[in-house]
Each structure stands twice: as structure tokens, then as C-alpha cells.
Amino acid sequence: MDTVNFVLQGDLCFCENSGVLKTLEGGFLVCRNGKSAGVFPQMPEEYASLPLINYGGKLIIPGLTDLHTHAPQYGFRALGMDLELLEWLETRAFPEEARYGDIEYARRAYSLLVEDLKKGPNTRFCFFTTIHVPAVILLMDLLEESGLVSFVGKVNMDRNCPENLREGGENNPETSLTATREWIRLCGKYQNTRPILTPRFIPSCSDGLFRGLAEIQKTYMLPLQSHLSENKNEIAWVRELCPESKNYGDAYARRDLFGGDVPTIMAHCVWSNDDEIQLLAKQGVFAAHCPQSNANLSSGIAPVRRLLDAGVPLGLGSDVAGGVHTSIFRAMADAIQISKLRRALVNQDEKPLTLEEAFYLGTAGGGAFFGRARGFGPAGSFEPGFDFDAVIINDTGLAGPEKLSLRDRLERVVYLSDDRHIESKYVRGKQVL
Amino acid sequence: MDTVNFVLQGDLCFCENSGVLKTLEGGFLVCRNGKSAGVFPQMPEEYASLPLINYGGKLIIPGLTDLHTHAPQYGFRALGMDLELLEWLETRAFPEEARYGDIEYARRAYSLLVEDLKKGPNTRFCFFTTIHVPAVILLMDLLEESGLVSFVGKVNMDRNCPENLREGGENNPETSLTATREWIRLCGKYQNTRPILTPRFIPSCSDGLFRGLAEIQKTYMLPLQSHLSENKNEIAWVRELCPESKNYGDAYARRDLFGGDVPTIMAHCVWSNDDEIQLLAKQGVFAAHCPQSNANLSSGIAPVRRLLDAGVPLGLGSDVAGGVHTSIFRAMADAIQISKLRRALVNQDEKPLTLEEAFYLGTAGGGAFFGRARGFGPAGSFEPGFDFDAVIINDTGLAGPEKLSLRDRLERVVYLSDDRHIESKYVRGKQVL
């Protein structure tokens, strides 16, 4: 279906790029060529001839962005949550990921995932997958068909992992690099689904593999995602593996894979110290804050206030299956809640996140990453020029004894809504639900 | 409708009173005279003539107990969550509670609450309400009609609160005591709905009011609920008000209102020190752990492992509207998650809660309170003699690519289920949903 021009009417609620929350009851939201042409209290004369779709009494918000999630872990989400991280990886995550060598299993599992995601409030995603190129392409096909927008990463791993998930033998990064190049060549056919380089994390990639990935990145101009400072044992391990690095982020930077001109996401940043935070900010690296996963895996609570104050670009991630919920509404609520616990238990001076801030992070905050990459506009706001991602929410089932302001309805939706309340969804101007 | 005798067949999942999780696929659960007669792998000969209801492939678990929640706060749940506790009380909680002097408003708001609770997995509740006797009786009527089981408390407050919520003038506890006696006399008509004394907390009740409540308690043999050690400012305030007390719990004890022979619930216990924990254990006082509320209101994380190790009877509470979710499944998941953050940030030696422990707390743990009170049996297990509260869960919508064990299905239900998955519900042997 081609992108068309139209106008939606409803109760608009969005953050401007500056972070300020705007609300407009019964407002008009104009889509032109897949992009927002802005919001208006009355129908502007110049758009009067466009088709008008009336969502009276419904909330209309920008689509949400999940800046960090693992597609192959969806199948076992909300299982084994009592395990410690290492045991969880060994008994749940790695055995499950190994199954994606079987394309029929991948089809079954990834179909369930994509069907689920279509019904939720997210419109954009950054996925980790596995090392298996055919399964990665299968997922990208399914995503493309769904109309959702995503970056999808074939994982690179050539050390410190189970044999059946290691690409190539000892000191032979070429297997992983060849597979990566092959995968990239297959990705040209998509409109809404783009490749992103995905070395799992420092411990799982040899120096040779990182060197090859840096070359591939320059050749194909690809963005990159990985993990950073998620838990203390991991950080100690990286220090052992990279004694020359000042911190974990510096280990990526010394491998020429830490932002700068290249759009880059680092998930977690729970234990990033001031130096690392400064480096993230200087390099414009996006931090993907994954509050629920950080609780489930006993990692800790990321210093979100300090990341914001330092100017680190920030979005939210579900991190399924470290997190169990796909909806970024849940990540917003979790982010607020654990930021309050951080203040109560770690540092009284770090102000908790507000509703407006969490909503910004889950919309324009994470959506900005797409504006950095080639082929997409920025997402997550209704300001003119943003990609037209809009979610229509019927919140009558959440009503109370009294009429609420638009801002209060948004708060209730963030804390209490589920898929039942998502009535429709537009991505890049196309209705996908 | 009278209680009848029958048998349910399905995938049974429950904790024994000891805390051990039992699972039985396709098992038989027998109800006799509103109580469990036990679970059986085959249909026992002696019950072969009873009606059999087949819930093949569905989970059957004991009803959940919400050991602490505020009925009048349901109307503004998930609103104003960015406010600090004191500001939240002044701008949200107290003004809303004052409206329950208007019986029509109470009817509208309490009807929404009870309709919602009928659809969820909880079968038992301990409610705080407001000071207004007609509204309290209205709620009790609605609850009785719903078939749910509850303790409902008319709140006592004669100091340190807004004028329009203060019962009587300065140094005149008689207004509150008279209203309390009047209310108790009106409670004789219920089968499933019982009164519980509910002084809001130490700061809101004069010494005279506490003396009168202790007398009423002895006269009518009523259980009691209140708040304990929720946040640090509150504790400092109590220390100021009761300089003679060793701790907050001791302040209740010196007023002869801290357990012993009388079934008693204290909500929160976030900052209970070792002395207070020992006192809770010695007096057999139930602690109601409200993990989400403690996060939302920036209170902190209760030392659940220490409470358990000390032998304090423990259950879970939603604490709406400090918490925003009514389901005790959510409280189970939250309790596990924040116990992991407590280990990560406060004390590495305090082991996080397991799924089995959290499930126990939300079922037999809190349900034990009902076994302590007159007129009810214990609830929350299928061991013989427990009140027959059973929830039928259709979890097919939560299925993954592979068949799961019963224990894993339970874990997924705890983290991911919502009202859509609750197919039916029995309370004291009567089907209420």
C-alpha cells in the first residue's frame, strides 16, 4: 500500500523534540507523504480536501520505540526469572538461541513474536537476533510484512560462548565476517527493515572480529548496537580482557566502534561511571535504558538522571527476555518506579523521572535514533517532519468516576493499558493495525 | 446460592501450607461444604457421584489475597504518581477520600471497583475505606453481593488530617468511637464481609481514640489493620509523637493494639529494624508487603527475607492507589523484582524471593490471616480444610513455541497474565465468575 495523505482527529498527546508535553483535545494531525505535517486545533484550510478519519474521544500518541530487545528470547520470556544472569544465559538464553539454526523453529517462534508486536503500542524496534543468517532474514521478512519499522542485527560471536553458537574456530573471525557480509547483501530489498551491526558484547568477540566489523561498518555505513556496563561481574571481566582500556566504553572506542559519526546504541549503562558517561555524551552514543531487565537480572538501577544531565541520547528498551514485557508503556512505568528506588536507596540528589520525561524517552527519545540513520526520518513526535507513527488508544475501559485531563489520561494509559486499548496504529503513514 | 459439593478437574498448582509448590496435571480438586477436601491424581471412589466440572488444559490455582488496599483510592489509581508522598496525600488522596461523604459518589466509585475486582484473580481482600459509615456499609453491601471475601475497615482519624476528614474536635475521640460502634452494629448481616478496626496510623489518632479502640476490640473481638514503618519521615514523626516507644511497632504495642491474641495486619514494614521485626514475630502480627506502592511512593524496599527468616507472618498487598494494579499476580512479580534490586543495592546477603515464595505469599501466606479470624477458614491452598477459593486460568494466549511444564506456566501467568486469562472463580465453594 502506498503512503497517502490524510488527517486524523482525536485527543492528541505528544512530546515536542525539546521534551515538552503537548496535549490538544479534538485536535487535527496531518499526514503528508508518510510524515507529520503538524497538529492543529482547527482543520487548516490547505488540508481541507484530505480524507479525515475521526477518532473522537480517543487518545492519539506517537508510536513508541523499543531501543533494545532480543527477538529469539521472546519464546521463553517470563521463564527462569529466578536464575542468576550466568545460569540464565547457560540454561535458557543460549540453548534457545541455538535452536534458530532450525528455520522451521525460527518461523514458528518469530511469527508469534511479530503477531504480538503488531497488537502493541510500539512502532519501532532495534532487535538482537542470533548468528543464523537464514533465521535473521526470515525475521526481517516477517517484520517488513508487518509494516513495523526496525533495525535487525545478526549477532556476532566468536569466543566465550557455547560451541554451537560460536562462529568459526579459535582465532578465525573470518567465518563471522563472511556471514555478516552475506547477510548485509540480502538486506537491500526492504523498505522498513534495516541491518545493524551487532557484536554481542566485548567478551564474545575477538579483536580480529572487531577489526573486521569496523571495516564492514565503514564500507556499508551501518549503525551498531551492543551491550555496555550491565553488571559488575561483566565489567570486571572486560577489565581483565582489555587491561589497556580506561573503562568498558573505552574498550569499544579503542576498537573504533563507539559512535561519533556512526549511529550507535549501547544497552543498559547501569554501572557507567562519570568518565564513561562523558564518553557516551561526547560520541553521541544512545543509551538504551532497560529498567525491568535490570531488575529481573539483579543488575541494579541505571543512573538515568546523570545520563540525561550529561546529554547522553537516551531511549527505553524492553530487553526481552531479561525483561518480560514487550510494551514500552511498561518500560516507561518501570523506569519511573526504579528511578524512585534509586533515589531512596542510592542517591537522594538524583531526581526521579517524571511521567513527561519517561514518555519522552519512550517516544521521541528513542525515536531520534531512527533520525540518525539513513533512510528514515526521526520518529516519536508529531512535530512537522517526523515520520508519521501514530497509535490510537481507546481508554474508555480505564475511565474512573470523574472526567480526566488529557495529561492524566496519558498517565493512566502508561501505567494501566494493555493491547486491548490499542485500537489502531499507523507507521510511516501506513495503517498497520 | 447455597454451597454445594462438586469436583473440578484441571491442571492444579498450589502451595502447601509449608510453602512447597505442588503441581498436578489433569488432577481432581474436591469441594465439600465450601472447603477443599484435597487434590487427587484420580477421581476418588467416594466422590464419584459428585458433579464434575472439567477445566481440561486450564490452570487451577487458589484464590489470591490482597492483604492491604484502600478502596476509595481506586478512583484515582495511576494518577499523580510523580508527587511526593505528602503532596500526594494532600492533593490526591485526602480530597478524594473526603468525597465519600457523598453516598452517590461512593456508589459510583465503589461499583467500578467491585466490578473490576470480580474479574481479577484475587478472592480475598483487606480494605481501608474512609471515615464515612454510610459509604463503608455501601461498599460492604456491594462486596457481599459480589461473593468475594473481605475485611473492611472504617478508618479512624481524629488528628493530623484535613478538617473535613477529622472525626470530632480537638481532644474529642468520642465522635470517632461512636461512629465505629454504630458501624460495627450494622455489620452483623454479612456472610463474607467482616469489619476490621482501622486506625489510619499512629499520627492520625489521639491517645484517647486508641484507648477507645482497644476497648472496642476487646468487646467485639475484632481484628485490626494499620500502617507501620512505611517511610523514614513518618518514622521520625512517630518518634516525636511517642518518645517513650522503642520503635514504631512498640508505639502500637503500648496502646495494646499489636497482635498477640488479636489477628493484626501492619502494612509496609519497609524500614522495620531488628527489634521491630522481632516484635512482629513475637506478636504474630501479619506484615503486608506492598512492593509496587513502596516503589511508587519512593519509600524503599522492605526487608522481606529478614521478615521471613524471623518468622513474621507475611502476605502481599496492592496498596491501591500507592500501587496502581489490583492483581496480586502483579504484586508477586513486583516483590520478586524489587527483592533482586534490594540484593543488588542494599545487602548482597539477602537472597531474593523465588517464584514459589512469592506465589506462596500471595496465596496461603496472606490467606492465613483469614484462618486466624472468626468465621472463616484459612485460604490460599488446596490442602484439606482450606476454604475453597479457586481461580481457573486459560493461559493458551500466553503459550510459546514449546509446551511448558506446569510450574513454568505458573511463572508465565504470574508475570504476564491479566483479566482476559481469568476464566472462572470460586469463593468459599461458590462460583462468582
Side-chain angles (χ1 to χ4, degrees):
Chain A
M1 188 181 120
D2 289 319
T3 300
V4 290
N5 301 314
F6 57 88
V7 181
L8 306 186
Q9 184 177 13
D11 295 337
L12 306 172
C13 210
F14 65 101
C15 281
E16 292 180 338
N17 212 18
S18 66
V20 174
L21 182 72
K22 292 284 174 184
T23 63
L24 187 56
E25 281 197 45
F28 296 85
L29 169 63
V30 178
C31 176
R32 294 204 61 186
N33 300 318
K35 294 195 181 292
S36 172
V39 306
F40 307 90
Q42 271 90 36
M43 176 70 116
E45 196 58 44
E46 61 179 306
Y47 303 124
S49 64
L50 296 184
L52 173 70
I53 305 163
N54 189 345
Y55 290 113
K58 316 277 166 69
L59 277 175
I60 304 181
I61 65 163
L64 313 186
T65 290
D66 187 346
L67 210 54
H68 180 66
T69 184
H70 293 257
Q73 296 183 6
Y74 175 81
F76 68 96
R77 76 201 184 287
L79 297 177
M81 295 277 69
D82 289 349
L83 302 174
E84 306 273 334
L85 175 61
L86 215 65
E87 205 184 348
W88 179 80
L89 279 170
E90 277 167 18
T91 66
R92 296 277 181 171
F94 285 146
E96 179 75 8
E97 291 193 18
R99 304 190 63 181
Y100 285 76
D102 172 358
I103 195 75
E104 284 315 313
Y105 183 78
R107 187 184 312 279
R108 204 157 80 238
Y110 281 153
S111 297
L112 286 172
L113 165 67
V114 175
E115 278 313 302
D116 192 0
L117 296 181
K118 277 173 74 170
K119 293 182 273 184
N122 310 347
T123 55
R124 305 208 169 205
F125 304 84
C126 295
F127 290 109
F128 276 56
T129 61
T130 65
I131 58 169
H132 312 94
V133 174
V136 183
I137 292 295
L138 172 79
L139 174 63
M140 294 176 86
D141 287 346
L142 292 169
L143 286 165
E144 183 74 9
E145 201 182 338
S146 74
L148 301 168
V149 169
S150 56
F151 282 106
V152 178
K154 175 213 161 300
V155 167
N156 297 102
M157 253 198 305
D158 72 344
R159 64 171 183 175
N160 293 318
C161 61
E163 267 316 299
N164 60 354
L165 286 174
R166 193 171 72 177
E167 302 177 282
E170 292 284 351
N171 295 315
N172 175 19
E174 207 42 54
T175 307
S176 180
L177 294 169
T178 303
T180 302
R181 286 188 209 98
E182 178 200 338
W183 161 64
I184 294 167
R185 273 192 299 273
L186 294 169
C187 292
K189 58 180 169 174
Y190 304 116
Q191 295 299 311
N192 285 340
T193 317
R194 300 278 156 97
I196 182 168
L197 291 179
T198 306
R200 192 175 199 115
F201 67 149
I202 291 276
S204 69
C205 299
S206 66
D207 285 354
L209 179 50
F210 275 123
R211 273 194 300 275
L213 288 173
E215 279 171 34
I216 288 176
Q217 180 164 69
K218 284 187 190 66
T219 307
Y220 297 94
M221 297 294 288
L222 289 183
L224 179 139
Q225 61 184 351
S226 196
H227 295 99
L228 181 67
S229 299
E230 180 174 3
N231 87 40
K232 287 181 173 175
N233 292 337
E234 173 206 19
I235 294 170
W237 194 12
V238 170
R239 197 177 300 127
E240 220 172 84
L241 292 168
C242 310
E244 78 291 353
S245 296
K246 278 186 293 193
N247 54 53
Y248 193 163
D250 184 50
Y252 287 110
R254 284 168 187 263
R255 286 155 182 79
D256 210 10
L257 294 168
F258 204 65
D261 292 337
V262 181
T264 300
I265 301 168
M266 288 287 153
H268 303 306
C269 309
V270 174
W271 296 101
S272 295
N273 60 19
D274 284 340
D275 275 359
E276 191 167 275
I277 290 174
Q278 290 309 320
L279 189 61
L280 285 159
K282 178 170 156 256
Q283 297 295 101
V285 172
F286 280 70
H289 176 42
C290 306
Q292 189 182 115
S293 169
N294 297 338
N296 284 337
L297 298 178
S298 298
S299 303
I301 302 175
V304 173
R305 179 61 57 200
R306 285 167 49 214
L307 291 164
L308 285 173
D309 287 349
V312 176
L314 195 63
L316 299 176
S318 67
D319 194 26
V320 166
V324 307
H325 294 92
T326 54
S327 167
I328 291 299
F329 281 140
R330 175 65 184 256
M332 292 177 193
D334 287 339
I336 295 169
Q337 286 168 337
I338 72 170
S339 74
K340 292 172 177 172
L341 290 177
R342 184 170 168 96
R343 190 196 29 193
L345 301 174
V346 178
N347 186 351
Q348 284 202 327
D349 298 331
E350 292 182 28
K351 257 183 56 189
L353 288 178
T354 64
L355 175 79
E356 285 78 359
E357 287 174 320
F359 183 64
Y360 173 80
L361 293 180
T363 53
F369 183 74
F370 289 78
R372 293 281 312 278
R374 290 194 305 175
F376 298 121
S381 178
F382 292 148
E383 287 199 273
F386 273 70
D387 274 3
F388 191 94
D389 288 12
V391 180
I392 318 300
I393 299 169
N394 183 341
D395 62 338
T396 43
L398 302 175
E402 296 292 13
K403 182 171 155 55
L404 299 177
S405 72
L406 206 36
R407 187 265 176 213
D408 281 359
R409 285 167 63 193
L410 177 69
E411 182 167 17
R412 189 162 266 182
V413 162
V414 166
Y415 282 98
L416 295 178
S417 71
D418 58 45
D419 291 356
R420 280 172 285 191
H421 307 102
I422 311 299
E423 178 165 316
S424 187
K425 194 155 82 171
Y426 296 77
V427 185
R428 301 181 86 192
K430 184 181 156 188
Q431 187 170 13
V432 302
L433 176 76
Chain B
M1 186 179 123
D2 289 319
T3 301
V4 291
N5 301 314
F6 58 88
V7 182
L8 305 186
Q9 186 177 13
D11 296 337
L12 305 173
C13 210
F14 65 101
C15 281
E16 292 180 338
N17 212 17
S18 65
V20 174
L21 181 72
K22 292 283 174 185
T23 63
L24 187 57
E25 281 196 46
F28 296 85
L29 169 63
V30 178
C31 176
R32 293 204 61 185
N33 300 319
K35 292 193 182 293
S36 171
V39 305
F40 306 90
Q42 272 91 36
M43 176 70 118
E45 197 58 44
E46 62 180 307
Y47 302 124
S49 63
L50 296 184
L52 174 69
I53 304 163
N54 189 346
Y55 290 112
K58 315 276 167 69
L59 277 174
I60 304 181
I61 66 163
L64 313 186
T65 289
D66 187 344
L67 210 54
H68 180 67
T69 184
H70 293 258
Q73 296 182 6
Y74 174 82
F76 69 95
R77 76 199 184 289
L79 297 177
M81 296 276 71
D82 290 349
L83 301 174
E84 305 274 335
L85 175 61
L86 213 66
E87 205 185 347
W88 179 81
L89 278 170
E90 277 167 20
T91 66
R92 295 278 182 172
F94 285 145
E96 180 74 12
E97 290 192 18
R99 305 189 62 180
Y100 286 75
D102 171 357
I103 196 75
E104 285 315 313
Y105 184 78
R107 187 184 312 279
R108 204 157 80 240
Y110 281 152
S111 298
L112 285 173
L113 166 67
V114 175
E115 278 313 301
D116 191 2
L117 296 181
K118 277 173 74 170
K119 293 181 272 183
N122 309 346
T123 56
R124 304 207 170 207
F125 304 84
C126 295
F127 289 108
F128 275 55
T129 60
T130 66
I131 59 169
H132 313 95
V133 174
V136 183
I137 291 295
L138 172 78
L139 173 64
M140 294 176 86
D141 288 345
L142 292 169
L143 286 165
E144 183 74 9
E145 199 181 339
S146 74
L148 301 169
V149 169
S150 57
F151 283 105
V152 178
K154 175 212 161 300
V155 167
N156 298 102
M157 250 191 316
D158 72 344
R159 63 171 183 174
N160 292 318
C161 60
E163 266 317 296
N164 59 354
L165 287 173
R166 193 170 74 177
E167 302 178 283
E170 294 282 353
N171 296 314
N172 175 19
E174 208 42 54
T175 307
S176 179
L177 294 168
T178 302
T180 303
R181 288 189 209 96
E182 177 201 338
W183 162 62
I184 294 167
R185 274 193 298 273
L186 294 169
C187 292
K189 57 181 170 172
Y190 305 115
Q191 297 298 311
N192 285 340
T193 316
R194 301 279 155 97
I196 182 169
L197 291 179
T198 306
R200 189 172 200 117
F201 67 150
I202 292 276
S204 69
C205 300
S206 67
D207 285 353
L209 180 49
F210 275 123
R211 273 193 300 276
L213 288 174
E215 278 171 34
I216 289 177
Q217 179 164 70
K218 284 188 189 68
T219 307
Y220 297 94
M221 296 294 287
L222 289 184
L224 179 138
Q225 62 184 352
S226 197
H227 295 99
L228 182 66
S229 298
E230 181 174 2
N231 86 39
K232 287 180 173 175
N233 292 337
E234 173 207 18
I235 294 170
W237 194 12
V238 171
R239 196 177 302 126
E240 221 173 85
L241 292 167
C242 311
E244 77 292 354
S245 297
K246 279 186 294 193
N247 52 54
Y248 194 162
D250 185 50
Y252 287 111
R254 282 168 188 261
R255 285 154 181 81
D256 210 10
L257 294 168
F258 205 65
D261 293 337
V262 181
T264 301
I265 301 169
M266 288 288 153
H268 303 306
C269 308
V270 174
W271 296 101
S272 295
N273 61 18
D274 284 340
D275 275 359
E276 190 166 276
I277 290 174
Q278 290 308 321
L279 189 62
L280 285 159
K282 176 169 160 256
Q283 296 295 102
V285 172
F286 280 70
H289 176 42
C290 306
Q292 188 181 119
S293 168
N294 297 338
N296 284 337
L297 298 178
S298 299
S299 304
I301 302 175
V304 173
R305 178 62 57 200
R306 285 167 48 213
L307 291 164
L308 285 173
D309 287 348
V312 176
L314 195 63
L316 298 177
S318 67
D319 194 27
V320 166
V324 307
H325 294 93
T326 54
S327 167
I328 291 300
F329 281 140
R330 175 64 184 255
M332 294 177 192
D334 287 340
I336 295 169
Q337 285 169 337
I338 73 170
S339 74
K340 290 172 178 173
L341 289 177
R342 185 170 167 96
R343 187 188 40 182
L345 299 175
V346 179
N347 186 351
Q348 284 203 326
D349 298 331
E350 292 182 28
K351 258 184 55 189
L353 288 179
T354 64
L355 176 79
E356 286 79 357
E357 288 175 321
F359 183 63
Y360 173 80
L361 293 179
T363 54
F369 183 75
F370 289 80
R372 293 279 313 278
R374 287 194 307 176
F376 298 122
S381 177
F382 292 148
E383 287 199 275
F386 273 70
D387 275 1
F388 192 94
D389 288 11
V391 180
I392 319 299
I393 299 168
N394 184 341
D395 62 338
T396 44
L398 302 175
E402 297 290 15
K403 183 171 156 56
L404 297 177
S405 73
L406 206 37
R407 186 267 176 211
D408 280 0
R409 285 167 62 193
L410 176 68
E411 183 167 16
R412 190 162 266 183
V413 162
V414 165
Y415 282 97
L416 295 179
S417 71
D418 58 44
D419 292 356
R420 280 171 286 192
H421 306 102
I422 311 298
E423 178 165 315
S424 187
K425 194 155 86 170
Y426 296 77
V427 184
R428 301 181 86 191
K430 182 181 157 189
Q431 187 169 12
V432 302
L433 176 75

